[in-house]
Amino acid sequence: MSRKLTEDELIRGFDEALANGNIFMNYQPQYNHSTRKMIGAEALMRWNDPDCGYQSPADFIPVLEQNGLIHRADLHAFEVICKFLRFCIDNNINPVPVSFNISRHDIFEHDYVSEIEKIREKYQVPVKFLRAEITESSTVGGIELVISVLNKLHECGYLVEMDDFGAGYSSLNVLKDLDVDVIKLDMRFLSGDLAGRGGTILSSIVRMSKWLNTPTIAEGVETLEKADYMMSIGCNYMQGYLYSRPVRDSEFVELLKNSQIEAILPSMNLIETMDAKKFWSPDSLETLIFSNYVGAAAIFNYNVITRDVEILRVNEKYARELHLDGDEDEILRSNPWNNHGAESRKIYEETMKRAIASGETETCENWRVINSKLCGENKVCIRSSIRVIGKNFNDYVFYALIQNITAEKVNYSALFDSERRFRFASEQANVYAWEYNIATKQMRPCFRCMRDLGLPALVENYPEAAIEMGIFPEECADDYRAFMKKIDSGVEHLEAIFPLTVGRIPFHIRYTNEFDENGKPVKAYASATLVVDGEKK
Ligand code: C2E
Ligand code: CA
Ligand code: CA
């Protein structure tokens, strides 16, 4: 008859259950949802009473904990796991790393790590096949002890997982102190609502764990929908009924034989030179450099499928360069695409694609509309140099250095504008017009010059090039050279009639010089009009 054992029965029956193998381990495999390969398994304790049947861990684990028995149970569990791994190795079955649960009672008043190390040595199991699971609740009695156990586990080569992450309140704080290698997120703590708050919490945890370069495993995944959701936010590793319930060791062996296996990897492959943990620590050298020694910089995430951009980090100069009066927090909360028009977004996304393909820094310029509380709407032109610094599945993390080049652009376009107007006017007035740069001896002809005289858009070595082309015939070439010398020397206005081209058609040529603030001639604006009847040299 199946029945729940009473607390008393559990305590009294414990030794016998342990000795008779009625307390044993089941294994629940973990998978990479994107490759469907097995990445590990969690060992879970089972108690099968010969008379009363299966006992739920939710019932007997707390009893063992409260009665000082869990430590022995867990050492037993560890030995069963080591035996199992030894069996696999001896029988040429490729095992996956197996996680074992550590209770907080295991580490109080016990030299737990030395104890399990003795067992591991006995069975000669490589440490890479074992992962320790700790929970936040083990920090209740003080975090120092947990930190020292964690360090010892690391010294021995164990990977350490943070179990049931997100269940407690101080989760984020705990991560700062505990240097865990894997984070396990339990879906059951966030029942239902993945579209709302639950989803936001999950995706922020996943993103943050990426920044700590710590892989995440979703636990309690029961439906394909949830598995797909977790993968979409960057958590590919899964454990749950969707893939498999915890199974007996014999069954697990069969699974291992028939499964493809892969190693668990940090979720983000950051460029080698950057240490993610340090980068996000407020007192690290990396942070100091980011905040003080680089220009205006931002780190953002781009998902190539959803095409969403999320700014993860900016420095103070970034806000200033964009002419934003909001603080960095405000920038982090905003959707950066809101500042881009369609054209600007297109330019930026193409640049990101180039950067992804090349692995190099790629640069673009685009106009953005910035809404500032102080100044209202403002258009700024930003030159961005961007580079991929991390990648995870469809997410790319970019480092961007930006420069506000609005002033530069405005000057250039003002110039471009005046030139266009000037050209337009000259065409209307039936004149040929050009500009002559005194320092460089470059000449820029108007459209009519280009069309009628076959000039290129930029003529070098003026006037010699024009003389060579026959625009100024041989016999007047020296006169024209002398004329241009006067322009070079800084005469304000100069005009003369020259017979142009093979046809010797008389044109009235007029120059007006432009000077810089020191009175030095910079550029001359010239025009040529057909000499009409009665006009004399
Ligand atoms: P846990 O460490 O969070 O283990 C995961 C629990 O989730 C297991 O429950 C597992 O069977 C269950 N689970 C896995 N996938 C799903 C799913 O898709 N849906 C649902 N609803 N549940 C799922 P289990 O085996 O009942 O263990 C309960 C707890 O007992 C464990 O929670 C752990 O805290 C503790 N425990 C189990 N084995 C050991 C052990 O060897 N030592 C210690 N100290 N504690 C253990
Ligand atoms: Ca666990
Ligand atoms: Ca768990």
Side-chain angles (χ1 to χ4, degrees):
M1 184 201 63
S2 176
R3 150 176 98 75
K4 209 168 117 176
L5 293 174
T6 64
E7 184 167 345
D8 211 42
E9 285 169 326
L10 285 170
I11 298 165
R12 278 192 286 112
F14 175 71
D15 281 319
E16 206 190 319
L18 213 57
N20 294 345
N22 294 332
I23 295 177
F24 56 93
M25 304 311 284
N26 272 2
Y27 300 88
Q28 186 176 30
Q30 302 160 332
Y31 292 86
N32 180 339
H33 188 53
S34 71
T35 62
R36 314 279 154 136
K37 291 184 184 170
M38 204 195 287
I39 52 131
E42 178 175 6
L44 293 155
M45 195 179 288
R46 294 293 176 260
W47 184 327
N48 186 16
D49 187 84
D51 301 320
C52 300
Y54 276 103
Q55 304 299 309
S56 162
D59 298 325
F60 72 81
I61 298 274
V63 174
L64 298 184
E65 286 185 328
Q66 283 147 29
N67 294 279
L69 296 170
I70 193 71
H71 177 235
R72 280 178 57 213
D74 278 343
L75 289 182
H76 172 76
F78 192 84
E79 182 153 8
V80 171
I81 297 165
C82 284
K83 255 189 218 165
F84 175 78
L85 288 166
R86 186 74 254 162
F87 170 84
C88 291
I89 297 165
D90 290 343
N91 289 280
N92 286 320
I93 300 158
N94 270 343
V96 286
V98 174
S99 302
F100 55 98
N101 288 281
I102 302 179
S103 156
R104 67 194 170 97
H105 300 272
D106 289 330
I107 60 174
F108 288 108
E109 293 164 28
H110 297 286
D111 193 357
Y112 178 73
V113 181
S114 308
E115 288 168 331
I116 61 168
E117 275 297 89
K118 274 198 204 106
I119 299 170
R120 191 171 69 80
E121 259 161 48
K122 184 174 156 195
Y123 292 94
Q124 292 285 302
V125 174
V127 73
K128 65 173 180 186
F129 291 130
L130 290 153
R131 294 193 204 125
E133 285 197 6
I134 57 168
T135 59
E136 264 181 88
S137 60
S138 43
T139 63
V140 168
I143 199 155
E144 288 73 22
L145 179 65
V146 183
I147 292 174
S148 87
V149 169
L150 201 146
N151 288 341
K152 273 190 209 147
L153 285 166
H154 275 164
E155 274 163 31
C156 299
Y158 291 89
L159 286 188
V160 180
E161 303 178 345
M162 171 65 80
D163 199 5
D164 298 346
F165 188 76
Y169 289 100
S170 56
S171 301
L172 297 173
N173 254 338
V174 166
L175 272 199
K176 173 169 71 55
D177 298 321
L178 296 180
D179 188 15
V180 293
D181 308 288
V182 177
I183 292 170
K184 291 185 81 177
L185 278 165
D186 202 315
M187 303 289 290
R188 288 167 299 170
F189 295 128
L190 300 144
S191 47
D193 148 54
L194 286 182
R197 233 173 110 79
T200 311
I201 294 170
L202 274 181
S203 65
S204 349
I205 295 175
V206 171
R207 205 184 53 236
M208 186 197 54
S209 70
K210 279 188 209 168
W211 278 107
L212 295 165
N213 226 12
T214 311
T216 44
I217 299 177
E219 204 179 4
V221 180
E222 293 179 349
T223 62
L224 188 60
E225 189 196 352
K226 282 198 171 135
D228 288 342
Y229 173 81
M230 288 312 287
M231 194 165 78
S232 79
I233 61 170
C235 172
N236 296 351
Y237 300 135
M238 317 266 160
Q239 175 185 342
Y241 294 168
L242 169 68
Y243 275 99
S244 169
R245 290 182 171 261
V247 296
R248 293 292 301 249
D249 51 6
S250 52
E251 203 177 322
F252 186 50
V253 164
E254 291 312 306
L255 271 178
L256 281 175
K257 283 184 191 162
N258 299 315
S259 298
Q260 282 188 301
I261 287 170
E262 71 175 40
I264 193 164
L265 285 175
S267 50
M268 177 92 60
N269 303 316
L270 285 175
I271 51 170
E272 311 81 58
T273 47
M274 208 160 93
D275 182 332
K277 271 183 189 136
K278 283 196 205 140
F279 190 80
W280 295 94
S281 149
D283 352 278
S284 72
L285 185 64
E286 282 76 0
T287 293
L288 187 76
I289 291 170
F290 183 75
S291 310
N292 300 295
Y293 297 115
V294 298
I299 310 270
F300 63 88
N301 189 88
Y302 175 63
N303 185 302
V304 289
I305 304 298
T306 63
R307 294 168 61 210
D308 284 335
V309 165
E310 184 167 17
I311 300 185
L312 303 172
R313 191 168 180 177
V314 294
N315 62 14
E316 221 180 283
K317 284 180 207 145
Y318 183 88
R320 260 187 274 144
E321 197 73 11
L322 273 181
H323 295 176
L324 281 171
D325 47 13
D327 56 6
E328 284 117 285
D329 264 6
E330 219 165 289
I331 301 176
L332 296 186
R333 282 197 307 270
S334 68
N335 177 0
W337 286 138
N338 291 345
N339 300 330
H340 293 256
E343 182 61 19
S344 160
R345 176 169 175 164
K346 195 172 140 217
I347 293 171
Y348 207 86
E349 287 197 279
E350 269 159 17
T351 312
M352 288 195 281
K353 279 183 199 136
R354 280 207 314 276
I356 289 170
S358 69
E360 303 287 329
T361 301
E362 300 288 344
T363 301
C364 67
E365 292 173 5
N366 55 7
W367 286 90
R368 305 186 196 178
V369 178
I370 302 292
N371 274 301
S372 118
K373 271 183 249 145
L374 241 55
C375 319
E377 200 176 277
N378 203 359
K379 264 186 113 180
V380 291
C381 189
I382 301 295
R383 179 180 293 141
S384 315
S385 299
I386 63 173
R387 166 182 201 115
V388 175
I389 58 167
K391 169 183 176 3
N392 171 51
F393 205 48
N394 292 322
D395 284 304
Y396 288 84
V397 174
F398 283 89
Y399 185 89
L401 280 172
I402 64 155
Q403 208 186 344
N404 191 326
I405 53 167
T406 313
E408 203 177 292
K409 283 287 154 182
V410 167
N411 285 347
Y412 181 79
S413 66
L415 195 129
F416 181 75
D417 239 42
S418 73
E419 189 181 84
R420 225 179 27 196
R421 251 180 278 131
F422 161 72
R423 285 180 182 206
F424 182 72
S426 65
E427 268 148 42
Q428 295 303 304
N430 251 350
V431 295
Y432 293 91
W434 64 97
E435 275 173 32
Y436 167 67
N437 184 315
I438 291 168
T440 62
K441 302 222 170 296
Q442 287 169 329
M443 178 265 214
R444 287 180 189 278
C446 71
F447 174 72
R448 277 165 56 101
C449 293
M450 286 159 67
R451 186 191 61 197
D452 296 353
L453 300 169
L455 288 171
L458 180 69
V459 180
E460 303 278 359
N461 192 27
Y462 191 82
E464 291 311 317
I467 293 167
E468 226 164 81
M469 284 176 77
I471 296 171
F472 294 93
E474 276 298 315
E475 69 273 12
C476 69
D478 277 341
D479 283 351
Y480 193 60
R481 286 187 185 105
F483 180 91
M484 289 306 293
K485 276 220 175 73
K486 285 185 197 157
I487 297 295
D488 288 345
S489 71
V491 174
E492 213 176 328
H493 294 287
L494 201 60
E495 49 183 282
I497 289 171
F498 285 98
L500 296 189
T501 73
V502 279
R504 308 297 192 272
I505 305 161
F507 270 86
H508 199 147
I509 293 178
R510 299 180 175 89
Y511 270 82
T512 303
N513 238 328
E514 191 183 74
F515 302 87
D516 67 11
E517 60 271 29
N518 303 314
K520 204 175 132 223
V522 192
K523 202 189 257 182
Y525 295 94
S527 65
T529 47
L530 198 61
V531 174
V532 289
D533 282 349
E535 212 178 346
K536 281 271 137 60
K537 194 172 175 177

